[in-house]
Amino acid sequence: MILDALSCRRSCRSFKPDPVSHALIEEIIKAAQFAPTAHNRRAVEFVVVTDPKVRQAIQSALVAQDFVARAPVLIVPVSDTKIASKPTEDLALATENIWLQVTHLKLGCVWKHVHAEKELSAVRAILGIPEHCLIINVIPVGYPTEKPAPHTDAEFDPKRIHREKW
Amino acid sequence: MILDALSCRRSCRSFKPDPVSHALIEEIIKAAQFAPTAHNRRAVEFVVVTDPKVRQAIQSALVAQDFVARAPVLIVPVSDTKIASKPTEDLALATENIWLQVTHLKLGCVWKHVHAEKELSAVRAILGIPEHCLIINVIPVGYPTEKPAPHTDAEFDPKRIHREKW
């Protein structure tokens, strides 16, 4: 049941220090590469950061809480805006697939926003990413120290469905 | 395996005329409501269109091919930008969940862009959606007349993974 997978996808901000193997990271990014991209341009790439100094630098750039540097891995989805037709949408879709695969692998992650322009420039500089590339988020990944409760049907709100008209 | 679900999610632009029950539409939108939203604002609503005249009007507004009006249902995700923190991202994430649930239910769908500002204004007018609400796409949904091949591992490109730096 896909709904089980979707309902178990929750934000995780507390990680064990245990490393995540590169094989698992590849499984996660494979899921991201199966996400749709506008006009099938597939212009999404991924920077995988494990170096503690770089994680700390990114945390500082994002004025983030310490879960960013504490996560053993940061995945940074990057869209080449010279190729992409809808870079923001492409990055969001890839992130949802990452999140679902992370959850399936009993790992945890969260979407940490990278706000334009100050944070974006800082993260680009730290990772050596060219100016024509967009980043909208950083995804800290690791083994979770807690398991948030899944979404339940009680959260489904049929009032947010409008039939035929607003 | 979540990867199976992600790999079977493909674009469908050819639909049988058979209607899709409102119970199934609710299952699909429940999946969308389990998608993350920035700062958990949950400001995404959904217009469900089955009226053939309205489907035709939307198709005309989008200068789209006839698969838009031929689909028995159009789902239009709408973000209230007075509440949402990242409306475009929220709508993209909800759409990926819709797509996965649609696929699971053996239905098909596709992302049809609604480009700002001309198309967006037209779709807002047709559906009576207020100006402060954003729409980025229309999702035609129906029983597919063909089954596109799933993504395969051969499409996974490890060269799009950068370790530690771009």
Side-chain angles (χ1 to χ4, degrees), chain B residues 42-145:
Chain B
R42 301 189 185 202
V44 184
E45 310 215 8
F46 304 87
V47 184
V48 175
V49 178
T50 62
D51 183 326
K53 280 184 198 157
V54 181
R55 282 151 42 202
Q56 186 62 53
I58 290 174
Q59 178 174 296
S60 301
L62 302 181
V63 199
Q65 291 168 285
D66 65 1
F67 64 82
V68 173
R70 279 193 193 210
V73 184
L74 303 178
I75 298 178
V76 185
V78 180
S79 170
D80 183 337
T81 64
K82 286 186 181 170
I83 302 171
S85 161
K86 298 278 181 186
T88 299
E89 290 84 333
D90 288 355
L91 292 169
L93 292 161
T95 300
E96 180 66 351
N97 279 22
I98 283 175
W99 218 326
L100 292 168
Q101 178 67 292
V102 159
T103 305
H104 174 75
L105 295 170
K106 313 269 188 229
L107 293 157
C109 73
V110 68
W111 172 312
K112 176 70 190 117
H113 289 299
V114 174
H115 296 284
E117 184 57 43
K118 195 177 164 190
E119 292 181 356
L120 174 55
S121 301
V123 175
R124 275 201 202 106
I126 292 165
L127 299 176
I129 293 169
E131 270 204 32
H132 66 273
C133 289
L134 179 68
I135 303 159
I136 62 169
N137 61 6
V138 163
I139 307 169
V141 179
Y143 290 94
T145 58

Side-chain angles (χ1 to χ4, degrees), chain A residues 32 34-38 89-90 93-94 97, chain B residues 9 11 96 99 111 151:
Chain A
F34 288 175
T37 57
E89 290 85 333
D90 288 354
L93 291 161
N97 278 22
Chain B
R9 181 223 48 77
S11 293
E96 180 66 351
W99 218 326
W111 172 312
H151 291 290

Side-chain angles (χ1 to χ4, degrees), chain A residues 33 45 50 96-97 162 164, chain B residues 45 50 96-97 162 164:
Chain A
Q33 291 188 3
E45 310 215 7
T50 61
E96 180 65 351
N97 278 22
H162 307 258
E164 304 300 341
Chain B
E45 310 215 8
T50 62
E96 180 66 351
N97 279 22
H162 306 257
E164 305 300 340

